[in-house]
Amino acid sequence: MRTDLHRQPVNPLTAVRNLGILAHVDAGKTTVTERFLYFTGATHKRGEVHDGTTVTDFDSQERDRGITIFAAAVSCAWDGYRINLIDTPGHVDFADEVERSLRVLDGAVAVFDAVAGVEPQSESVWRQADRHGVPRIAFVNKLDRVGADLDAAVESIRERLHPAPLVVQLPIGKEDGFTGVVDLLRMRALVWAGDGDTFEEGPVPEALLEEARRRRRLLEEAVAELHPLALEEFCAGSTISAPTLAAALRDLTRTGEGVVVLCGAAYRNRGIEPLLDAVGAYLPSPLDVPAVRGTLRGTEEERAADPSAPFAALVFKVTSTSTGRLTYLRVYSGTIRKGDTVMDAGARRSERISRILRVQADRHAEMDQAVAGDIVAVIGPKAARAGATLCVPEAQLVLEPPTTADPVVSVAVEARRSTDTDRLVSALVRLVEEDPSLVVRTDTETGQTVLSGMGELHLEVAVEKIRRAHGLEVGVGRPQVAYRETVSRGVTGLLYRHVKQDGGSGQFAHVVLDVDPLEAADAAGSVGDQGGGSAVEFVFRSAVVGGRVPQEYVRAVEAGCRDALLEGPLGGHPVTGLRVTLTDGATHPKDSSEMAFRTAGRLALREALRASAMVLLEPVVEVTVTVPDDAVGGVLGDLAARRGRVSGSTARAGTAVITAAVPLAELFGYATRLRSRTQGRGTFTTRPTGYAPAPASVEAR
């Protein structure tokens, strides 16, 4: 049944909605996705997270742990719209899955807990969506819970996320008595009965009529402040009509100036149909978002979402299944058909598309073709990795790949049986191919194989996947965090001459460097940013005058300095947060070359770092701990013992929510410790906040 007003699409592409479900752990993302599938007829039975029967949490580890680990794509149809939906993880360790998904989405539904409001990971995924410019609508879920408060949740959206929340519904009933909503656009009541499979539309209850009118007025005033056409109508008639209001909400959502807020209780099937209508009414189609931009032979080019344009698609996920290798694509332009040969533009490799699949989590429906705007999986490409661009050979284009954050935790892994070593190497290669946020390397000193990822749970899931998928017994070492080194006091005028003569052309390079810590203005968020990979961690500049060092040699010196940043003098950790200035130099008419100056830059900076005062940096996370009131003292003492700095504590319905900054290295095993201190009633979440100087005791380890 339709519950909102929107126009039927004419162009097929206007009927497509590519959206993600974003939220904190346990806010109800997967339940909302399950209800989408159920009410659109894509499934005929409601799946439940606690029963392990959901469509999108199909992996055995997801069902065992009761959380979303891997982003899962599904597709459904509602009132003439084709909805391609990605259910994303809410745990911070799997933020890279969210990042890759947001790169290919046109819109999103942000789900918030009506009791907790905006939680730490809610804020993190919201900021990720901000970076990608993804329009969002908000759904305040779990209004049937004790302590649920729509107004408090909306206020937390306003205070912590900073968009203008535009609330279009008023709840009918509170907590367990929540039965429906008042639609403030049409001023009507939608009431769900029984198990929530159906609802009745009727007039606004008399007891809520005055409050509904007040909130409708507040909505009109908020929209009039932001939208010129709505303001014009409001000034002329002191009100805004439902069609004008809907059009203004659509515009404000797509520009990001406002966020439409709806409410409901997904587990009890209340509020889903209006949310589906809002997806069609307010979120953009592929035609409403800017044309994708890529590079073609060094120049930037746009590709419109046009099925007749040259084919271009971005690979955002790769998985291995029992039926073969699945490559997930967002098609940005053109059309692809079974049997087509495409080009991996970055690797300059041809790939053949043997099958095209409409994805329904772990189930697939075969398609003959996919067009601009589609999100599909293909079988055939053997080497394309996440971030690769597939395009037609005669019109190649390289699209910007999703960013990948640096890993912060590492463990040593080894096969229990020496005969399984080769199988373990193969399994690790496949694992890294599927999840680019994992890194595998061999420690040059110990010879150990080291697996690095975004957190303790991330690595635990990865190792368990090797055990289950490949039947391998794997030994795992104690987790180690990824330290960094930085300069606290630099050096000035360090002179380095690189001279090498061993027959034939020699090498000559003379450089003079100044090394300083990055000032706050230069490093805005540098040492601490782990989210988007856009942090300024190193600044290089040239102050050479008179052409004493040609420009091509200056670039070579910078490249050499970047090489030197890979290993610092304290413990071989990457160096960050410094500025290097090339102040002088000299060349030789015959023996100077880019290679000589690159070598000089590398060796000069290494020498400069050894002469500088260096500081070891350790990763720090913001920990949000929710515990019963009677356990607060013990939890605070434990956080202090872990070098935690408490930044806030709030009371909420018999529980306390404590926020603290804690070094990541001190949190290994914290889940077990917290459970024992709170008799299993305490929970915690983490969010990376950056790096901070480590104490001398850590440096000495």
Side-chain angles (χ1 to χ4, degrees):
M1 182 186 298
R2 293 184 64 201
T3 62
D4 206 340
L5 45 105
H6 49 259
R7 296 167 293 182
Q8 286 293 324
V10 179
N11 185 317
L13 272 181
T14 65
V16 176
R17 297 290 182 272
N18 293 317
L19 66 126
I21 306 291
L22 311 174
H24 187 86
V25 176
D26 289 335
K29 300 180 307 300
T30 300
T31 302
V32 169
T33 303
E34 289 297 317
R35 298 310 185 260
F36 272 20
L37 297 176
Y38 177 73
F39 283 105
T40 58
T43 60
H44 303 290
K45 183 180 179 182
R46 294 186 292 265
E48 306 295 352
V49 173
H50 57 271
D51 292 336
T53 56
T54 58
V55 172
T56 52
D57 286 354
F58 59 86
D59 186 86
S60 58
Q61 288 201 70
E62 293 178 310
R63 294 185 170 178
D64 290 347
R65 299 172 188 271
I67 62 171
T68 300
I69 296 173
F70 309 107
V74 293
S75 185
C76 56
W78 175 257
D79 195 29
Y81 290 93
R82 164 60 59 185
I83 299 174
N84 297 317
L85 188 151
I86 298 179
D87 179 22
T88 65
H91 196 286
V92 64
D93 282 16
F94 308 105
D96 199 64
E97 288 274 333
V98 182
E99 185 74 18
R100 293 198 302 273
S101 300
L102 284 170
R103 175 63 180 82
V104 299
L105 294 174
D106 300 326
V109 175
V111 180
F112 301 95
D113 188 316
V115 178
V118 176
E119 298 175 270
Q121 192 60 13
S122 311
E123 191 170 351
S124 294
V125 296
W126 189 275
R127 301 300 174 216
Q128 285 179 279
D130 279 343
R131 287 199 304 272
H132 290 278
V134 175
R136 281 140 282 172
I137 59 176
F139 181 68
V140 179
N141 191 27
K142 301 188 179 183
L143 276 176
D144 56 333
R145 285 185 60 195
V146 174
D149 188 334
L150 174 63
D151 291 337
V154 170
E155 190 57 31
S156 70
I157 292 173
R158 187 192 313 276
E159 290 179 356
R160 297 189 62 177
L161 306 181
H162 308 301
L166 306 170
V167 184
V168 297
Q169 292 177 340
L170 169 67
I172 299 175
K174 294 183 65 176
E175 298 177 350
D176 195 52
F178 171 68
T179 58
V181 298
V182 174
D183 175 1
L184 297 178
L185 267 72
R186 286 189 167 181
M187 293 300 289
R188 56 180 181 162
L190 306 173
V191 179
W192 285 263
D195 59 5
D197 275 1
T198 59
F199 66 88
E200 292 185 0
E201 180 181 333
V204 179
E206 191 68 30
L208 290 175
L209 190 56
E210 184 177 343
E211 178 66 9
R213 286 171 176 162
R214 184 183 75 84
R215 291 186 180 239
R216 166 63 185 252
R217 183 71 176 181
L218 290 174
L219 175 63
E220 291 178 351
E221 290 173 354
V223 170
E225 286 182 5
L226 299 169
H227 196 278
L229 294 181
L231 176 62
E232 185 178 325
E233 185 172 315
F234 186 76
C235 291
S238 192
T239 188
I240 304 176
S241 65
T244 301
L245 199 55
L249 291 172
R250 183 183 305 117
D251 292 341
L252 294 174
T253 298
R254 293 173 186 177
T255 61
E257 295 177 81
V259 56
V260 174
V261 181
L262 300 96
C263 60
Y267 179 66
R268 297 176 68 178
N269 311 311
R270 293 170 184 177
I272 299 301
E273 296 96 324
L275 180 58
L276 281 164
D277 283 338
V279 165
Y282 306 127
L283 291 181
S285 74
L287 294 176
D288 296 320
V289 297
V292 69
R293 304 178 73 89
T295 55
L296 177 64
R297 290 187 291 275
T299 60
E300 198 170 75
E301 180 177 302
E302 287 188 351
R303 288 278 173 89
D306 182 357
S308 61
F311 170 74
L314 184 70
V315 177
F316 68 94
K317 186 178 176 68
V318 175
T319 62
S320 297
T321 68
S322 56
T323 57
R325 186 181 193 268
L326 284 182
T327 303
Y328 290 78
L329 307 177
R330 162 66 193 266
V331 183
Y332 281 101
S333 67
T335 301
I336 187 172
R337 298 175 178 82
K338 288 194 299 184
D340 283 355
T341 297
V342 296
M343 177 71 71
D344 181 338
R348 297 189 177 278
R349 180 191 302 110
S350 294
E351 300 277 14
R352 186 176 183 277
I353 307 299
S354 57
R355 295 170 65 194
I356 303 174
L357 307 172
R358 176 80 69 192
V359 183
Q360 202 74 346
D362 60 339
R363 299 189 298 273
H364 316 103
E366 194 125 1
M367 304 168 61
D368 291 329
Q369 65 177 31
V371 300
D374 275 336
I375 292 179
V376 296
V378 297
I379 295 177
K382 292 181 171 53
R385 305 187 66 173
T389 302
L390 300 184
C391 55
V392 289
E394 57 272 17
Q396 294 184 35
L397 186 74
V398 178
L399 303 176
E400 181 183 356
T403 58
T404 301
D406 293 332
V408 294
V409 181
S410 301
V411 293
V413 294
E414 63 178 13
R416 295 280 190 193
R417 297 189 296 267
S418 59
T419 54
D420 288 338
T421 301
D422 289 343
R423 290 179 59 205
L424 176 60
V425 171
S426 176
L428 288 170
V429 169
R430 181 172 293 184
L431 195 67
V432 172
E433 185 180 70
E434 295 184 10
D435 186 351
S437 61
L438 291 169
V439 175
V440 176
R441 63 180 176 84
T442 301
D443 190 299
T444 54
E445 293 184 3
T446 64
Q448 290 178 307
T449 299
V450 178
L451 178 65
S452 304
M454 303 308 298
E456 197 173 3
L457 179 61
H458 188 204
L459 295 179
E460 188 181 315
V461 166
V463 171
E464 187 62 24
K465 189 171 185 179
I466 292 174
R467 289 173 177 152
R468 295 189 185 191
H470 301 275
L472 288 169
E473 288 296 320
V474 181
V476 181
R478 188 181 185 278
Q480 300 291 326
V481 301
Y483 292 100
R484 297 286 186 268
E485 299 177 25
T486 193
V487 175
S488 62
R489 187 183 67 253
V491 296
T492 302
L494 186 135
L495 184 151
Y496 188 87
R497 292 171 64 91
H498 174 64
V499 181
K500 187 176 181 182
Q501 192 73 46
D502 52 5
S505 297
Q507 294 186 29
F508 178 89
H510 174 117
V511 296
V512 181
L513 301 181
D514 289 351
V515 177
D516 304 290
L518 269 181
E519 301 296 334
D522 295 323
S526 68
V527 179
D529 192 315
Q530 292 187 34
S534 59
V536 180
E537 299 177 343
F538 168 67
V539 172
F540 180 89
R541 60 189 185 188
S542 172
V544 178
V545 296
R548 290 176 59 82
V549 180
Q551 190 59 40
E552 62 268 24
Y553 293 166
V554 171
R555 289 193 294 266
V557 174
E558 179 180 358
C561 289
R562 291 186 182 277
D563 294 340
L565 295 177
L566 298 177
E567 293 185 5
L570 291 181
H573 309 294
V575 182
T576 187
L578 74 159
R579 178 179 57 228
V580 176
T581 305
L582 177 64
T583 60
D584 200 1
T587 62
H588 187 278
K590 288 186 177 180
D591 293 344
S592 290
S593 64
E594 290 186 26
M595 179 60 70
F597 272 89
R598 180 166 185 160
T599 302
R602 182 179 74 253
L603 298 178
L605 184 53
R606 284 182 181 174
E607 187 173 309
L609 292 176
R610 286 194 292 269
S612 300
M614 302 294 293
V615 174
L616 187 69
L617 300 174
E618 61 180 348
V620 176
V621 298
E622 180 187 82
V623 182
T624 302
V625 190
T626 304
V627 297
D629 286 337
D630 57 6
V632 171
V635 169
L636 287 173
D638 187 49
L639 288 173
R642 295 172 185 272
R643 298 190 284 124
R645 298 189 307 277
V646 175
S647 56
S649 179
T650 57
R652 182 193 297 159
T655 62
V657 181
I658 303 165
T659 305
V662 184
L664 180 60
E666 301 291 345
L667 283 180
F668 295 138
Y670 184 60
T672 302
R673 182 70 170 171
L674 182 64
R675 281 195 296 267
S676 67
R677 282 191 174 275
T678 62
Q679 291 78 48
R681 295 176 293 165
T683 61
F684 78 100
T685 59
T686 61
R687 181 170 66 93
T689 58
Y691 282 80
S697 58
V698 174
E699 291 192 39
R701 291 178 187 173

